[in-house]
């Protein structure tokens, strides 16, 4: 049985996990939270469903990331002007400040991932 492909995928997965750990240790938030902050800095007023779609997360996982950032005060929800049943999310000043402290130069992409992205 050919297992080389699966072994390569395992190495990539381990490298991603290590990188996520490094990001969280360096920035104090997980990588999904940072990606959501970045997304909201580019596209204001997204719904939870739009966030899930943009980030490639399930609705449940997106909801957890949203709740975490709301709890920390980094994002805030507003009632949609067009549809009062819908909520839209935006960055707070605290969320913008957190993003400003992200310096990608301090994050080292593992060698296994550098090979993949190059």
């Amino acid at each position: 049985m050919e297992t080389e492909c699966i072994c390569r995928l395992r190495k990539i997965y381990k490298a991603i996990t290590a990188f996520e750990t490094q990001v969280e240790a360096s920035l104090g938030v997980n990588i999904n939270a940072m990606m959501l902050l970045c997304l909201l800095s580019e596209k204001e007023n997204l719904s939870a469903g739009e966030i899930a779609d943009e980030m490639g997360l399930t609705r449940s996982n997106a909801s957890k990331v949203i709740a975490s950032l709301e709890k920390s005060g980094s994002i805030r929800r507003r009632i949609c002007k067009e549809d009062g049943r819908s909520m839209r999310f935006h960055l707070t000043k605290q969320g913008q400040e957190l993003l400003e402290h992200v310096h990608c130069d301090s994050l080292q992409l593992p060698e296994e991932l550098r090979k993949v992205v190059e």
Side-chain angles (χ1 to χ4, degrees):
M1 180 167 102
E2 175 66 39
T3 60
E4 183 179 340
C5 178
I6 294 170
C7 289
R8 284 184 183 168
L9 287 173
R10 188 177 134 265
K11 286 180 181 180
I12 292 169
Y13 182 78
K14 285 176 68 175
I16 291 170
T17 302
F19 183 65
E20 287 179 332
T21 300
Q22 176 192 354
V23 168
E24 192 163 354
S26 174
L27 304 174
V29 293
N30 69 40
I31 199 159
N32 281 336
M34 289 308 302
M35 290 191 314
L36 177 50
L37 292 175
C38 183
L39 175 62
L40 289 176
S41 75
E42 295 171 349
K43 298 181 179 182
E44 280 282 323
N45 296 317
L46 294 177
S47 70
E50 291 167 336
I51 289 169
D53 292 344
E54 288 278 340
M55 292 181 61
L57 297 175
T58 64
R59 309 267 186 211
S60 176
N61 284 343
S63 179
K64 290 174 186 173
V65 177
I66 290 167
S68 169
L69 287 172
E70 276 187 297
K71 186 177 180 179
S72 73
S74 297
I75 66 172
R76 187 167 289 132
R77 68 177 64 210
R78 291 186 184 142
I79 295 175
C80 179
K81 294 175 185 174
E82 294 81 29
D83 180 358
R85 300 168 295 168
S86 179
M87 295 291 169
R88 298 287 183 171
F89 297 90
H90 70 280
L91 280 178
T92 62
K93 184 176 180 181
Q94 182 177 336
Q96 291 169 342
E97 289 172 358
L98 181 57
L99 261 181
E100 289 170 7
H101 286 87
V102 175
H103 298 286
C104 291
D105 297 344
S106 65
L107 301 173
Q108 294 296 317
L109 197 61
E111 180 65 29
E112 295 86 354
L113 293 179
R114 267 189 257 141
K115 291 177 186 175
V116 172
V117 297
E118 291 176 348

